[in-house]
Amino acid sequence: MIDRATLAAHFATIEARIVAACARAQRPRASVTLVAVSKLHPPEVVRLGWELGHRDFGENYAQELRDKHAGLADCSGLRWHAIGPLQPKNAKYVARAATVFHALERLDVAQELSKRREGPPLQCLLEVNVAAEASKAGIEPGALPDLVAAVRALPNLELVGLTAMPPLSEDPEANRLHFRALAQLGRTHGLAQLSMGTTGDFEVAIEEGATLVRVGTALFGHRPA
Ligand SMILES: *Cc1c(COP(=O)(O)O)cnc(C)c1O
């Protein structure tokens, strides 16, 4: 498990890179939220991050989110971001634990989330298959208008933005056109939040308008197998 000093150094490095990317894009630093992706790392790692002052953490798996949410309930101000694909039967865990859900792509899941949600509306982003990858999650851009309208009609969800999870690449520039396409779709549909960019390409994503970047490996190291 990563130690406190190393984690603090990683947060400082990523923060400096975010600040620099915002400066290049002439954007205020406050327009970008760093979501620290803690999936498959033990809850103690999240607690360390919280003690260092970080508040936004991302999890992929609904049961793991449920367990970490329960185990870290005393960490006040901690916001959970559910970022992985979700089945209707697991929607209740996300509805209870998450502040933001980044990977909405099915109306039945949206309905289940709205039904199960108590308290403030769950902020949702629709995941778009920007790179048109056959194997990938996310909806086709052409299917967006109908899903946007249907989700906006649900009472306990607040549709705030769009998410892209384009191909992993060694080259940070490789996904710039996909990030740009997502930003354009966001403007078209009046959705201000853009969740895009991971360890390999979050600076390019910020240059193209990301408001949420999802960084795991660069903060916490490689995930345990
Ligand atoms: C795991 C994951 C991340 C973090 O990826 P890193 O390369 O470790 O930064 C971001 N987004 C999603 C959807 C993920 O599943």
Side-chain angles (χ1 to χ4, degrees):
M1 188 180 114
I2 193 166
D3 62 83
R4 181 185 302 264
T6 307
L7 184 57
H10 289 177
F11 268 113
T13 301
I14 298 301
E15 177 61 25
R17 290 171 60 184
I18 292 173
V19 166
C22 285
R24 284 196 297 279
Q26 299 187 293
R27 300 179 52 193
R29 168 64 186 91
S31 68
V32 179
T33 297
L34 170 62
V35 178
V37 178
S38 48
K39 65 172 180 233
L40 303 179
H41 291 288
E44 293 74 33
V45 167
V46 177
R47 185 177 293 278
L48 265 186
W50 178 82
E51 287 171 0
L52 292 168
H54 197 71
R55 290 295 175 263
D56 292 276
F57 293 88
E59 288 289 333
N60 276 60
Y61 309 104
Q63 280 93 345
E64 187 179 352
L65 170 64
R66 174 198 62 194
D67 294 345
K68 281 181 174 154
H69 174 252
L72 297 165
D74 62 310
C75 296
S76 66
L78 195 161
R79 288 178 290 270
W80 288 110
H81 296 248
I83 63 172
L86 187 61
Q87 302 293 321
K89 67 175 182 332
N90 292 329
K92 54 183 178 289
Y93 303 130
V94 168
R96 282 184 207 134
T99 301
V100 188
F101 178 43
H102 294 232
L104 190 57
E105 51 174 331
R106 292 168 53 164
L107 185 55
D108 58 351
V109 170
Q111 288 164 335
E112 194 62 19
L113 286 168
S114 182
K115 193 170 117 191
R116 299 281 187 162
R117 181 70 171 181
E118 293 171 12
L122 177 65
Q123 295 171 42
C124 290
L125 296 87
L126 295 174
E127 184 166 348
V128 183
N129 185 355
V130 273
E133 295 168 274
S135 60
K136 259 300 175 43
I139 56 175
E140 304 307 316
L144 262 179
D146 285 352
L147 195 54
V148 166
V151 172
R152 280 188 170 137
L154 293 171
N156 298 317
L157 306 184
E158 182 187 4
L159 187 61
V160 297
L162 300 174
T163 295
M165 184 71 201
L168 288 177
S169 167
E170 296 289 296
D171 175 12
E173 288 293 332
N175 285 324
R176 186 182 290 278
L177 78 168
H178 298 311
F179 296 148
R180 195 169 290 175
L182 194 77
Q184 182 55 52
L185 287 170
R187 282 190 292 275
T188 301
H189 295 283
L191 295 166
Q193 300 295 323
L194 300 172
S195 172
M196 54 191 198
T198 65
T199 288
D201 52 18
F202 68 91
E203 290 145 305
V204 171
I206 289 170
E207 290 169 12
E208 297 300 331
T211 64
L212 295 148
V213 292
R214 309 179 308 267
V215 177
T217 308
L219 290 170
F220 300 117
H222 288 288
R223 286 175 280 276

